[in-house]
Amino acid sequence: MKTRKTGKFGKWMVYGPIALELIGMVRRTQKAKRGKYTKLRKRDRALDFVLGQAERRLGKRTATKRRWF
């Protein structure tokens, strides 16, 4: 039996989704603590955007449709 060496890409594929889940969990708890109408800092908006894109690409979250009501 051959043993395969896991390179950096393999480690990213294993640890990436775990880290993404943890970061998402932290952000959700932060959102729950802050008020509904609190304006986010530019850094927080950028982090939420990048996190949302990563979650969509990995299939964790689907894009929500905006509706009138």
Side-chain angles (χ1 to χ4, degrees), residues 2 5 7 9 11 13 17 28-30 32-33 35-36 43 45-46 50 52 55 58 61 64 67 69:
K2 279 187 179 180
K5 289 186 178 180
F9 183 72
K11 288 180 183 177
M13 293 301 290
R28 282 191 296 276
T29 57
Q30 286 176 346
K33 288 180 184 176
K36 185 176 181 180
R43 182 190 70 194
R45 286 194 315 261
V50 170
E55 286 177 342
L58 287 176
R61 190 178 74 176
T64 57
R67 297 182 178 140
F69 46 89

Side-chain angles (χ1 to χ4, degrees), residues 40-51:
L40 292 177
R41 290 183 288 190
K42 190 182 253 188
R43 182 190 70 194
D44 291 332
R45 286 194 315 261
L47 181 63
D48 287 340
F49 173 76
V50 170
L51 185 62

